[in-house]
Amino acid sequence: MRNHCSVKATTTMAADDQFDQVAEAGDVIRYRLEASEVAWEIAPGRTVRGYGFNGQVPGPVIEAKQGVPLEIEFTNRLPEPTVIHWHGLRLPAAMDGTEVVQRPVQPGETFTYRFTPPDAGTFWYHSHANETEQMEKGLYGALIVRAADELTLDAERILVFDDLRVDKTGQIAKFGGLMERHNGREGNVRLINGTSEPELTIAAGHIERWRIVNASSARYVRLSLGGQPFQIIGTDGGLIEAPVTVTEVLLPAADRVELAVGPFENEGAILTIEDLPYYRMAGKKGVERFGTIRVTPRKPSTARVPARLREIVPLVAREDARVTRTVTLGFKLSLRRGLDFVVNGERHHCDQPVKVGELQVWDVVNATRMDHPFHLHGFFFQVLEINGQPPAWRSLEDVINVPPQATVRIAWYPDDRPGSWMYHCHILEHHASGMMAHFDVVR
Ligand SMILES: [Cu+2]
């Protein structure tokens, strides 16, 4: 839908005149993406009719470099319009890939996205049009931005988690029942990189860097590797300050995490990549399997996970933070639609502008009894507190879970990228229902 806020044409720059200078100055990394209908083989002999980029699900991994311009020529061969959102990237508003900042790309049309990724990390790209259907059908892929001095372990994996609801005929189930619109769609087939419950192998003694994206419509993946410890080394906005050893990590829908996995000592052991119970007033109540890890014969390791990964400077001290805005995630009954998910009482809320250079401290309040993953487009935020308590470590995020009846206080800084932006719940059905808001960043 179009932004119903009154956005001045001057606040979004023309798509094509921003990077001419940069492109002339040096290297440009170029990709070509084409969206089309695909026969998606989710397991040997099991194929569903889906949507893919370049004929595959997930789409190709886009390998970008920090500070090097990226140019992606996108052609839409789908039977419906679409746009591509570059999730987590701090890019110009006009390149954000939403229907607010560009005319949707019609069937047969081409649109070129151009931006220079300023941050190293694990990002992803996905459809931002008719998302509940287009993303379920497979319109997503990983986008990795590498720093010049990237932390390298024995090996690296990019793992995109997803779940798919398949009906009795073996095809993607019909969309849009009332329960699904309320709860968000959780699938009965669990996929890593588009394949149902694959087996990964890791050599005994090795430590690998795993970059994980949760591309599910609504599922919260509470990830465990057979109960074995692993280290969290990064989140949405890249590395955290120091590794944190855990035996599980929660990824709300759209969240990312980077892990150091291993070393495992028992050659021949099989570990389950499992999703532990997480009841968000909906969804799975038992343990579900995403895949397995087989430990293969030992290999020498050169990997070392540094005790210190990076420094994250706090945007504001917790005690000095003055709340500038309250965002309330709510729920309303509707005569016409049965139910609406809303922000500050309004579907597709029109929020106040924010000014470049003015620190934002937002209280995101969940007035409902369900979890909602809050996503801010185009900017990282720091979590100051959850229900008055500081988080266990500092990180840069663009998705944070807001538990039922909880308040999450975040701080973020609008740098000089004026234009139309948005925030929303990343349970796709809630977003579609109206749990989202538009706002402008203005000079
Ligand atoms: Cu939600």
Side-chain angles (χ1 to χ4, degrees), residues 371-373 425 427 430 435:
D371 295 70
H372 299 287
C425 173
I427 288 175
H430 294 178
M435 190 175 270

Side-chain angles (χ1 to χ4, degrees), residues 177-213:
L178 182 68
M179 282 310 283
E180 184 174 294
R181 283 189 288 131
H182 183 268
N183 296 341
R185 171 180 283 215
E186 285 201 21
N188 49 7
V189 175
R190 291 159 306 279
L191 310 155
I192 297 178
N193 295 344
T195 301
S196 166
E197 300 180 40
E199 182 187 84
L200 315 180
T201 57
I202 180 169
H206 266 192
I207 305 176
E208 295 188 347
R209 181 171 180 174
W210 285 18
R211 298 170 180 268
I212 300 177
V213 178

Side-chain angles (χ1 to χ4, degrees), residues 19 37 129 172 205 269 281 301-302 352 363 433:
F19 289 106
E37 292 174 297
I172 295 174
M281 291 301 281
S301 167
T302 55
Q352 296 298 310
D363 268 351
S433 162

